[in-house]
RNA sequence: GGAGGGAUGCCAGAGUGGUUGAAUGGGGCGGUCUCGAACACCGCUGUGGACUUCCAGUUCACCGUGGGUUCGAAUCCCACUCCCUCCGCCA
């Protein structure tokens, strides 16, 4: 959420930003509602003051035993009360409306974010590693998975429908190894505290994390009770300190959480239908930072660096891409994606997104009321939040299987994962 | 699932319709005392909004959340959420 005062005082900038973001938001309506609200508020508050004074006077009269005078005074106050409740109701509606519209305004892009209408304008920042040259025709992961009998698509679909599958045997173990290894590196080497959060949250928590109201269509939820299934650990992690005021000395806070993620993927119907790249249920290890405002960009680099390091340790070639304004999304002020190289379906090779690291600045903080105090007695300020995948084991399964496949159809297990697989070095039929 | 109890400021805990934004105690901060510290004493100690701007004020709202009753609600009524105790069931 943006600061209403900021919008009011920087209308031109906000509108220009929306154009760059290639999106729309009801700025004019917001400004109008804001003006109406303040006008009405002034009026209501004046009346309330009148009532407060009048009511106290009645109290005094009653105490002095002047019943008759008190009664006439009451008559007056009844009218006043009616007027107040009438105007308050109007005010309430305006405020609800205003709040609602405000929830649809995206975060402002940070200065320096490359401009562009869509992802074709994202800017490659750097590359690491060399895409592998195959002296045989590499197979896509779904063929490898079936040949090795470690991914079973048919039976996943049988019980749950399209975009479901199951891992089997070493497939399941490799997946688990990735998760455990990611968490261990994060906790032991990157300084994170591990969190095991709820996977279902209240609607309000979704709003606070900026996933509602805008992305309702991509979410699963219980229709009888107020439970919403998270699409990422970012949701519960944003809510950990909701409505709290932290001390500056507690910052920065680095949390890592491994959770399942549920997404309806309605928007991308028909895309990536083969394989396990885009599915309704997947796991993710997510990094999340709470920082001082002035330190958040340094933390963005740290998060990207952490994700990169995981790829390096796995020996997977990747590139870092800075996301342009038109592809930034709703909450990020600045975002880097990590794309890992995979040979893909035809062996031509493609860059597959495996991590998205964002500086959300104070956008979620304002929605979730996440604040800190610089020192005792100081005014609370909104802190900054950042998130980044580190990493999604499902997508990494694709990268590992496809990149480490051998001519005979077996797959070499990356060295760092071997201790998690009983020292095993390959997956073989 | 059944029965009961509860939710007040950083914490503990009063308050049951009329200067109560809220007693009292603790904690924290500042000061006096002291060579210094402890003790003691004194003072201060919430958030958000609107308005004015002499940056010092004025004012409104907030005692789990949302409604209602009333001239007036922390206090009465209703619904919801959460917590606790007991019983039942259970991974």
């Amino acid at each position: 959420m943006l600061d209403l005062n900021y919008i009011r005082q920087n209308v031109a900038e906000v509108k220009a930003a929306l154009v760059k973001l290639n999106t729309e938001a009801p700025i004019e309506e917001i400004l109008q509602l804001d003006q109406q609200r303040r006008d009405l508020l002034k009026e209501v508050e004046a009346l309330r003051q009148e009532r407060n004074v009048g009511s106290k006077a009645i109290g005094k009269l009653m105490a002095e035993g002047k019943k008759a005078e008190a009664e006439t005074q009451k008559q007056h106050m009844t009218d006043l009360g009616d007027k107040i409740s009438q105007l308050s109701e109007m005010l309430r509606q305006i405020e609800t409306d205003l709040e609602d519209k405000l929830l649809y305004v995206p975060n402002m892009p940070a200065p320096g974010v490359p401009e562009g209408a869509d992802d074709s304008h994202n800017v490659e920042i750097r590359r690491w590693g060399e895409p592998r040259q195959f002296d045989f025709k590499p197979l896509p992961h779904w063929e490898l998975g079936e040949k090795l009998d470690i991914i079973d698509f048919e039976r996943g679909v049988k019980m749950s429908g399209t975009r479901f599958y199951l891992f089997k045997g070493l497939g399941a173990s490799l997946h688990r190894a990735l998760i455990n290894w990611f968490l261990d590196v994060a906790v032991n080497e990157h300084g994170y505290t591990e969190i095991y959060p709820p996977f279902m949250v209240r609607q309000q928590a979704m709003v606070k994390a900026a996933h509602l109201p805008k992305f309702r269509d991509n979410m699963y939820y219980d229709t009888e009770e107020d439970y919403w299934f998270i699409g990422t650990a970012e949701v519960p992690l944003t809510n950990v300190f909701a409505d709290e005021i932290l001390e500056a000395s507690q910052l920065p806070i680095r949390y890592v959480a491994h959770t399942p993620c549920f997404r309806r993927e309605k928007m991308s119907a028909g895309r990536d239908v083969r394989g396990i790249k885009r599915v309704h249920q997947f796991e993710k290890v997510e990094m999340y930072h709470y920082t001082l405002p002035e330190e958040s960009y340094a933390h963005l680099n740290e998060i990207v660096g952490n994700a990169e390091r995981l790829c390096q340790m796995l020996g997977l070639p990747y590139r870092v891409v800075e996301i342009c304004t038109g592809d930034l999304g709703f909450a990020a002020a600045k975002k880097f994606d990590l794309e890992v190289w995979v040979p893909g379906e035809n062996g031509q090779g493609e860059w597959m997104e495996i991590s998205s690291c964002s500086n959300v600045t104070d956008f979620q903080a304002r929605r979730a009321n996440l604040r800190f105090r610089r020192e005792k007695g100081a005014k609370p300020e909104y802190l900054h939040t950042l998130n980044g995948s580190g990493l999604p084991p499902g997508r990494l399964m694709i990268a590992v299987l496809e990149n480490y496949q051998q001519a005979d159809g077996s797959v070499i297990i990356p060295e760092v994962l071997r201790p998690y697989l009983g020292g095993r070095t390959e997956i073989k039929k």
Side-chain angles (χ1 to χ4, degrees), chain A residues 228-283:
Chain A
W228 295 68
F229 292 68
I230 61 170
T232 160
E234 179 193 335
V235 172
L237 292 179
T238 300
N239 278 278
V240 171
F241 296 110
D243 300 311
E244 293 187 32
I245 301 174
L246 304 177
E247 286 168 38
S249 60
Q250 292 176 263
L251 301 172
I253 294 169
R254 295 176 181 84
Y255 280 165
V256 66
H258 158 234
T259 68
C261 304
F262 303 99
R263 300 189 185 178
R264 298 178 68 167
E265 298 294 355
K266 272 196 145 174
M267 322 283 285
S268 40
R271 240 200 302 170
D272 303 320
V273 285
R274 294 209 74 173
I276 64 172
K277 183 172 169 189
R278 191 178 296 277
V279 287
H280 291 310
Q281 169 198 315
F282 60 97
E283 312 269 311

Coordinates of all heavy atoms in Angstrom, one line a residue, chain A residues 228-283:
Chain A
W228 N -7.2 -19.4 3.9 CA -6.7 -19.3 2.5 C -5.3 -20.0 2.5 O -4.5 -19.8 3.4 CB -6.5 -17.8 2.3 CG -7.8 -17.1 2.2 CD1 -8.7 -16.8 3.3 CD2 -8.5 -16.5 1.0 NE1 -9.8 -16.2 2.8 CE2 -9.7 -16.0 1.5 CE3 -8.2 -16.5 -0.3 CZ2 -10.6 -15.4 0.6 CZ3 -9.0 -15.8 -1.2 CH2 -10.2 -15.3 -0.7
F229 N -5.2 -20.8 1.4 CA -3.9 -21.5 1.3 C -2.8 -20.6 0.7 O -3.1 -19.9 -0.3 CB -4.2 -22.7 0.4 CG -5.1 -23.8 1.0 CD1 -6.4 -23.5 1.2 CD2 -4.6 -25.0 1.4 CE1 -7.2 -24.4 1.8 CE2 -5.4 -26.0 1.9 CZ -6.7 -25.7 2.2
I230 N -1.7 -20.7 1.3 CA -0.6 -19.8 0.8 C -0.1 -20.2 -0.5 O 0.0 -21.4 -0.8 CB 0.5 -19.7 1.9 CG1 1.2 -21.1 2.1 CG2 0.0 -19.1 3.2 CD1 2.5 -21.0 2.9
G231 N 0.3 -19.2 -1.3 CA 0.9 -19.5 -2.6 C 2.4 -19.4 -2.5 O 3.2 -19.7 -3.4
T232 N 2.9 -18.9 -1.3 CA 4.3 -18.8 -1.0 C 4.4 -18.5 0.5 O 3.5 -17.9 1.1 CB 4.9 -17.6 -1.8 OG1 6.2 -17.2 -1.2 CG2 4.0 -16.4 -1.9
A233 N 5.6 -18.8 1.0 CA 5.9 -18.6 2.4 C 6.0 -17.1 2.7 O 5.9 -16.7 3.9 CB 7.2 -19.3 2.9
E234 N 6.1 -16.3 1.7 CA 6.1 -14.8 1.9 C 4.9 -14.4 2.7 O 5.0 -13.4 3.5 CB 6.1 -14.2 0.5 CG 6.1 -12.7 0.5 CD 5.8 -12.2 -1.0 OE1 6.0 -12.9 -1.9 OE2 5.3 -11.0 -1.0
V235 N 3.8 -15.1 2.5 CA 2.5 -14.6 3.1 C 2.6 -14.8 4.7 O 2.5 -13.8 5.4 CB 1.3 -15.4 2.6 CG1 0.1 -15.1 3.4 CG2 1.1 -15.0 1.1
P236 N 2.9 -16.0 5.2 CA 3.0 -16.1 6.6 C 4.2 -15.3 7.2 O 4.1 -14.7 8.3 CB 3.2 -17.5 6.9 CG 3.5 -18.2 5.6 CD 2.9 -17.3 4.5
L237 N 5.3 -15.2 6.4 CA 6.5 -14.5 6.9 C 6.2 -13.0 7.0 O 6.7 -12.3 7.9 CB 7.7 -14.8 6.1 CG 8.2 -16.2 6.2 CD1 9.4 -16.5 5.3 CD2 8.5 -16.6 7.6
T238 N 5.4 -12.5 6.1 CA 5.1 -11.0 6.2 C 4.2 -10.8 7.5 O 4.3 -9.8 8.1 CB 4.2 -10.6 5.0 OG1 5.0 -10.8 3.8 CG2 3.8 -9.1 5.1
N239 N 3.4 -11.8 7.8 CA 2.5 -11.6 8.9 C 3.1 -11.9 10.3 O 2.4 -11.7 11.3 CB 1.3 -12.5 8.7 CG 0.3 -11.8 7.7 OD1 -0.5 -10.9 8.1 ND2 0.4 -12.1 6.5
V240 N 4.3 -12.4 10.4 CA 4.9 -12.7 11.7 C 4.8 -11.5 12.7 O 4.4 -11.7 13.8 CB 6.3 -13.2 11.6 CG1 7.0 -13.4 12.9 CG2 6.4 -14.5 10.8
F241 N 5.2 -10.4 12.2 CA 5.3 -9.2 13.0 C 4.2 -8.2 12.7 O 4.3 -7.0 13.1 CB 6.6 -8.5 12.9 CG 7.8 -9.4 13.4 CD1 8.7 -9.9 12.5 CD2 7.9 -9.7 14.8 CE1 9.7 -10.8 13.0 CE2 8.9 -10.6 15.2 CZ 9.8 -11.1 14.3
A242 N 3.1 -8.6 12.1 CA 2.0 -7.7 11.8 C 1.5 -7.0 13.0 O 1.4 -7.6 14.1 CB 0.9 -8.5 11.1
D243 N 1.3 -5.7 12.9 CA 0.8 -4.9 14.0 C 1.7 -4.8 15.2 O 1.3 -4.6 16.3 CB -0.6 -5.4 14.4 CG -1.6 -5.3 13.3 OD1 -1.7 -4.3 12.6 OD2 -2.3 -6.4 13.1
E244 N 3.0 -5.0 15.0 CA 3.9 -4.9 16.1 C 4.9 -3.8 15.8 O 5.1 -3.4 14.7 CB 4.7 -6.3 16.2 CG 3.8 -7.4 16.7 CD 4.6 -8.7 17.0 OE1 5.8 -8.5 17.5 OE2 4.1 -9.8 16.8
I245 N 5.5 -3.3 16.9 CA 6.5 -2.3 16.8 C 7.8 -2.9 17.3 O 7.9 -3.2 18.5 CB 6.2 -1.0 17.6 CG1 4.9 -0.4 17.1 CG2 7.3 0.0 17.4 CD1 4.4 0.7 17.9
L246 N 8.8 -3.1 16.4 CA 10.0 -3.7 16.8 C 11.0 -2.6 17.2 O 10.8 -1.5 17.0 CB 10.6 -4.5 15.6 CG 9.8 -5.6 15.0 CD1 10.5 -6.2 13.8 CD2 9.4 -6.6 16.0
E247 N 12.1 -3.1 17.9 CA 13.2 -2.1 18.2 C 14.2 -2.2 17.1 O 14.4 -3.3 16.5 CB 13.8 -2.5 19.5 CG 12.9 -2.2 20.7 CD 13.5 -2.8 22.0 OE1 14.7 -2.8 22.2 OE2 12.6 -3.2 22.8
A248 N 14.8 -1.0 16.8 CA 15.8 -1.0 15.7 C 16.9 -2.0 15.9 O 17.4 -2.6 14.9 CB 16.4 0.4 15.6
S249 N 17.2 -2.3 17.2 CA 18.3 -3.2 17.4 C 17.9 -4.7 17.0 O 18.8 -5.5 16.9 CB 18.6 -3.2 18.9 OG 17.5 -3.6 19.7
Q250 N 16.6 -4.9 16.8 CA 16.3 -6.3 16.4 C 16.5 -6.5 14.9 O 16.5 -7.6 14.5 CB 14.8 -6.5 16.7 CG 14.4 -6.6 18.1 CD 12.9 -6.7 18.3 OE1 12.2 -5.8 18.5 NE2 12.4 -7.9 18.2
L251 N 16.7 -5.4 14.2 CA 16.8 -5.5 12.7 C 18.3 -5.6 12.4 O 19.1 -5.0 13.1 CB 16.2 -4.3 12.1 CG 14.7 -4.1 12.4 CD1 14.2 -2.8 11.8 CD2 13.9 -5.3 11.8
P252 N 18.6 -6.2 11.3 CA 17.7 -6.9 10.4 C 17.3 -8.3 10.9 O 18.1 -8.9 11.7 CB 18.5 -7.1 9.1 CG 19.9 -7.2 9.6 CD 20.0 -6.3 10.8
I253 N 16.2 -8.8 10.4 CA 15.8 -10.2 10.8 C 15.8 -10.9 9.5 O 15.2 -10.5 8.5 CB 14.4 -10.2 11.4 CG1 14.4 -9.5 12.8 CG2 13.8 -11.6 11.5 CD1 13.1 -9.2 13.4
R254 N 16.4 -12.1 9.5 CA 16.4 -13.0 8.3 C 15.7 -14.3 8.6 O 16.2 -15.0 9.5 CB 17.9 -13.3 7.9 CG 18.7 -12.1 7.5 CD 20.1 -12.5 7.2 NE 21.0 -11.4 6.7 CZ 21.6 -10.6 7.6 NH1 21.4 -10.7 8.9 NH2 22.3 -9.6 7.1
Y255 N 14.6 -14.5 8.0 CA 13.9 -15.8 8.2 C 13.9 -16.6 6.9 O 13.9 -16.1 5.8 CB 12.4 -15.5 8.5 CG 12.2 -15.1 9.9 CD1 11.0 -14.5 10.3 CD2 13.1 -15.3 10.9 CE1 10.7 -14.1 11.6 CE2 12.9 -14.9 12.2 CZ 11.7 -14.3 12.6 OH 11.4 -14.0 13.9
V256 N 14.0 -17.9 7.1 CA 13.8 -18.8 6.0 C 12.8 -19.8 6.3 O 12.7 -20.3 7.5 CB 15.2 -19.5 5.6 CG1 15.6 -20.5 6.8 CG2 15.1 -20.3 4.3
A257 N 11.9 -20.2 5.4 CA 10.9 -21.1 5.6 C 10.7 -22.0 4.4 O 10.7 -21.6 3.3 CB 9.6 -20.4 5.9
H258 N 10.5 -23.3 4.7 CA 10.2 -24.3 3.7 C 8.7 -24.6 3.8 O 8.2 -25.0 4.9 CB 11.0 -25.6 3.9 CG 10.3 -26.7 3.2 ND1 10.0 -27.9 3.9 CD2 9.9 -26.9 2.0 CE1 9.5 -28.7 3.1 NE2 9.4 -28.2 1.9
T259 N 7.9 -24.3 2.8 CA 6.5 -24.5 2.8 C 6.0 -25.1 1.5 O 6.6 -24.9 0.4 CB 5.7 -23.2 3.0 OG1 5.8 -22.4 1.9 CG2 6.1 -22.5 4.3
P260 N 4.9 -25.7 1.5 CA 4.2 -26.0 0.2 C 3.6 -24.7 -0.3 O 3.3 -23.8 0.5 CB 3.1 -27.0 0.6 CG 2.9 -26.8 2.1 CD 4.1 -26.3 2.6
C261 N 3.4 -24.6 -1.6 CA 2.8 -23.5 -2.2 C 1.6 -23.9 -3.1 O 1.8 -24.9 -3.8 CB 3.8 -22.7 -3.0 SG 5.3 -22.2 -2.1
F262 N 0.5 -23.3 -3.0 CA -0.7 -23.7 -3.7 C -1.1 -22.6 -4.7 O -1.3 -21.4 -4.3 CB -1.8 -24.0 -2.8 CG -1.5 -25.1 -1.8 CD1 -1.1 -24.7 -0.5 CD2 -1.5 -26.4 -2.2 CE1 -0.8 -25.7 0.4 CE2 -1.1 -27.4 -1.2 CZ -0.8 -27.1 0.1
R263 N -1.2 -22.9 -6.0 CA -1.6 -21.9 -6.9 C -2.5 -22.4 -8.0 O -2.3 -23.5 -8.5 CB -0.4 -21.3 -7.6 CG 0.6 -20.6 -6.6 CD 1.7 -19.9 -7.3 NE 2.6 -19.4 -6.3 CZ 3.7 -18.7 -6.5 NH1 4.0 -18.4 -7.8 NH2 4.5 -18.3 -5.5
R264 N -3.6 -21.7 -8.2 CA -4.5 -22.2 -9.2 C -4.0 -22.1 -10.6 O -4.5 -22.8 -11.5 CB -5.9 -21.4 -9.0 CG -6.5 -21.6 -7.7 CD -7.7 -20.8 -7.5 NE -8.8 -21.3 -8.4 CZ -10.1 -21.0 -8.3 NH1 -10.4 -20.1 -7.3 NH2 -10.9 -21.5 -9.0
E265 N -3.1 -21.1 -10.9 CA -2.6 -21.0 -12.2 C -3.6 -20.8 -13.3 O -3.5 -21.3 -14.4 CB -1.7 -22.2 -12.6 CG -0.5 -22.4 -11.6 CD 0.5 -21.2 -11.7 OE1 0.4 -20.3 -12.6 OE2 1.5 -21.2 -10.9
K266 N -4.7 -20.2 -12.9 CA -5.8 -20.0 -13.9 C -5.3 -19.0 -15.0 O -5.7 -19.2 -16.2 CB -7.0 -19.3 -13.2 CG -7.9 -20.3 -12.6 CD -9.3 -19.7 -12.3 CE -10.4 -20.6 -12.6 NZ -11.7 -20.1 -12.2
M267 N -4.5 -18.1 -14.6 CA -4.0 -17.1 -15.6 C -3.2 -17.7 -16.7 O -3.1 -17.2 -17.8 CB -3.2 -16.0 -14.9 CG -3.6 -15.6 -13.5 SD -5.1 -14.5 -13.6 CE -4.2 -13.0 -14.1
S268 N -2.5 -18.8 -16.3 CA -1.6 -19.4 -17.3 C -2.1 -20.7 -17.8 O -1.3 -21.6 -18.1 CB -0.2 -19.6 -16.7 OG -0.3 -20.0 -15.3
A269 N -3.4 -20.8 -17.9 CA -4.0 -22.1 -18.5 C -3.4 -22.3 -19.9 O -3.3 -21.4 -20.7 CB -5.5 -21.9 -18.6
G270 N -2.9 -23.5 -20.1 CA -2.4 -23.9 -21.4 C -0.9 -23.6 -21.5 O -0.3 -24.1 -22.5
R271 N -0.3 -23.0 -20.5 CA 1.1 -22.7 -20.6 C 1.9 -23.8 -19.7 O 1.4 -24.1 -18.7 CB 1.5 -21.3 -20.1 CG 2.2 -20.5 -21.1 CD 2.9 -19.3 -20.5 NE 2.0 -18.5 -19.8 CZ 2.5 -17.5 -19.0 NH1 3.8 -17.3 -18.9 NH2 1.7 -16.7 -18.3
D272 N 3.0 -24.2 -20.2 CA 3.8 -25.1 -19.5 C 3.0 -26.3 -19.0 O 3.1 -26.7 -17.8 CB 4.5 -24.5 -18.3 CG 5.3 -23.2 -18.7 OD1 6.0 -23.3 -19.7 OD2 5.2 -22.2 -17.9
V273 N 2.3 -26.9 -19.9 CA 1.4 -28.0 -19.4 C 2.1 -29.3 -19.2 O 1.7 -30.2 -18.4 CB 0.2 -28.2 -20.3 CG1 -0.8 -27.1 -20.1 CG2 0.6 -28.3 -21.8
R274 N 3.3 -29.4 -19.9 CA 4.0 -30.7 -19.7 C 5.0 -30.6 -18.6 O 5.6 -29.5 -18.3 CB 4.8 -31.0 -21.0 CG 3.9 -31.3 -22.2 CD 4.6 -32.3 -23.1 NE 4.6 -33.6 -22.6 CZ 5.1 -34.6 -23.3 NH1 5.5 -34.4 -24.6 NH2 5.1 -35.9 -22.8
G275 N 5.2 -31.7 -17.9 CA 6.2 -31.7 -16.9 C 5.8 -31.1 -15.6 O 4.6 -30.9 -15.3
I276 N 6.8 -30.7 -14.8 CA 6.5 -30.3 -13.4 C 6.8 -28.8 -13.2 O 6.9 -28.4 -12.1 CB 7.3 -31.2 -12.4 CG1 8.8 -30.9 -12.6 CG2 7.0 -32.6 -12.5 CD1 9.6 -31.6 -11.5
K277 N 7.0 -28.1 -14.3 CA 7.4 -26.7 -14.2 C 6.3 -25.8 -13.6 O 6.6 -25.0 -12.7 CB 7.8 -26.2 -15.6 CG 8.3 -24.8 -15.5 CD 8.9 -24.4 -16.9 CE 9.2 -22.9 -17.0 NZ 9.5 -22.4 -18.3
R278 N 5.1 -26.0 -14.0 CA 4.0 -25.2 -13.5 C 2.9 -26.1 -13.0 O 2.2 -26.7 -13.8 CB 3.5 -24.3 -14.6 CG 2.6 -23.2 -14.1 CD 2.1 -22.3 -15.3 NE 3.2 -21.6 -15.9 CZ 3.7 -20.4 -15.4 NH1 3.2 -19.9 -14.4 NH2 4.7 -19.8 -16.0
V279 N 2.8 -26.2 -11.7 CA 1.8 -27.1 -11.1 C 1.0 -26.4 -10.0 O 1.4 -25.3 -9.6 CB 2.6 -28.3 -10.5 CG1 3.0 -29.2 -11.6 CG2 3.7 -27.9 -9.6
H280 N 0.0 -27.1 -9.5 CA -0.8 -26.4 -8.5 C -0.3 -26.5 -7.1 O -0.7 -25.8 -6.2 CB -2.2 -27.1 -8.5 CG -3.0 -26.8 -9.7 ND1 -3.2 -25.5 -10.2 CD2 -3.6 -27.6 -10.6 CE1 -3.9 -25.6 -11.3 NE2 -4.2 -26.8 -11.6
Q281 N 0.6 -27.5 -6.9 CA 1.2 -27.6 -5.6 C 2.7 -27.8 -5.7 O 3.1 -28.7 -6.5 CB 0.6 -28.9 -4.9 CG 1.3 -29.3 -3.6 CD 0.9 -30.8 -3.3 OE1 -0.2 -31.2 -3.3 NE2 1.9 -31.6 -3.0
F282 N 3.5 -27.0 -5.0 CA 4.9 -27.2 -5.1 C 5.5 -26.8 -3.8 O 4.8 -26.2 -2.9 CB 5.6 -26.5 -6.3 CG 5.3 -25.0 -6.3 CD1 6.3 -24.1 -5.8 CD2 4.2 -24.5 -6.8 CE1 6.1 -22.8 -5.8 CE2 4.0 -23.1 -6.8 CZ 5.0 -22.2 -6.3
E283 N 6.8 -27.1 -3.6 CA 7.5 -26.7 -2.4 C 8.4 -25.5 -2.7 O 8.9 -25.4 -3.8 CB 8.3 -27.8 -1.8 CG 7.6 -29.2 -1.8 CD 6.9 -29.4 -0.5 OE1 7.5 -29.2 0.6 OE2 5.7 -29.8 -0.5

